[in-house]
Amino acid sequence: MGWLVGALAAWLMGWQINARLARRTTSRATSLAGPIVFGLTVIVIWECVVHGLDISPILLPPPSQIAVTFAGSLPILWRDFVQTVIKGALTGYVLGCGAAFLLAVAIDRFPFLQRGLLPVGSFMAALPIIGLAPILVMWFGFDWQSKAAVVVVMVFFPMLVNTVEGLQDTGPMQRDLMRTYAAGYWKTLLKLRLPAAMPFIFNGLKIATTLALIGAIVAEFFGSPTKGMGFRISISVGQLAMDLVWAEIVVAAIAGSAFYGGIALLEKALTFWHPSQRSRA
C-alpha cells in the first residue's frame, strides 16, 4: 500500500512542479526542466507501481533493476552499440542519404529521370522491410554489411523525395534573376537551389535517423553474429532476461535521440538564416 501511496504522491508532486514551470516565462532552463521533471515522475511512478502491485519482473522489471543490469552489462551494451549503431545504422545512413542526394540532383538536372525513377523509388519504399531484410541478409552475409543494406533501402526514398521537393522550391522570379546574372545551372544550384532546399534536406535527414536505427535492429532478427542490439533482444527474450532487453531499449532510445538531436543542431547552425529557424528563436 505504501508503494501505491508513493506513486500517487510522485504524480501530484510532478503535476505541481510542471504546472509552476508552465506559468513561468519560457526560457532555455524551463524548456529543459519540463521534460526532465516529467521523465523522473514517470520513472518514480513506474518503480512504485511495480512494487506496489507486485508485478513480475518478467512482465515489467522496475527501473532500479534495469539500472543495475545496465551498469553491470556495459561491455555487452557497448559491443552491441558499436555493431548495430555505428557499423550498421551509421554506415547505411551515410550511404543511403548520400546516394539519394546525388540522385535528386541528377533528377533536378535531367527532369525525365523524375518520371522514371520516382515511381521506382515509391515502389521500393512500399516493399515490406520484414520481407526484404532476410533477402538482404542472405545476399550480404550475417555481419553488419547486410544491416547497412537494409538501412540504405529504408532511408533512401524519404531523403530522395525531400531533396527533390526542396530543389524545386524556388520561384520563377528567383531563377530569372539568376539568369540575368548569367548564372548557369551549377551556379544556380549552388547559390540558389541548394540553400533554398536545405530545410527539406534536413527534414529528410531527420526522418532517416529514426528509420536507420529501426532498420538496423530489425535486420538483426533475421541473422547476425553473436552481437548487436536486435540479436541481444531476441536472445534475451527467449531467456526471459527482460531487464537486459530493457537495457538495450534504453541504449537504442538514447542513441536515437542523440542522433536526431545532432542533426537538428546541425540544421539550426546551417539554416539560421531561414524564416523557419528565425521564427523559432
Side-chain angles (χ1 to χ4, degrees), residues 135-158:
I135 297 173
L136 294 175
V137 169
M138 293 299 293
W139 285 358
F140 295 98
F142 289 95
D143 212 342
W144 62 268
Q145 292 87 349
S146 57
K147 286 67 185 175
V150 172
V151 173
V152 168
V153 173
M154 289 191 71
V155 306
F156 183 82
F157 189 67

Side-chain angles (χ1 to χ4, degrees), residues 93 159 162-163 197-208 260 262-271 277:
Y93 179 85
M159 183 66 188
N162 276 280
T163 307
M198 292 299 275
F200 291 85
I201 293 172
F202 275 103
N203 275 340
L205 290 173
K206 287 189 289 187
I207 293 171
Y260 184 92
I263 297 297
L265 287 176
L266 186 62
E267 177 189 18
K268 191 173 181 179
L270 294 181
T271 63
Q277 293 295 331

Side-chain angles (χ1 to χ4, degrees), residues 155-177:
V155 306
F156 183 82
F157 189 67
M159 183 66 188
L160 176 67
V161 170
N162 276 280
T163 307
V164 169
E165 288 294 323
L167 290 175
Q168 295 174 352
D169 192 48
T170 51
M173 290 186 64
Q174 294 169 308
R175 293 194 290 271
D176 289 342
L177 180 63

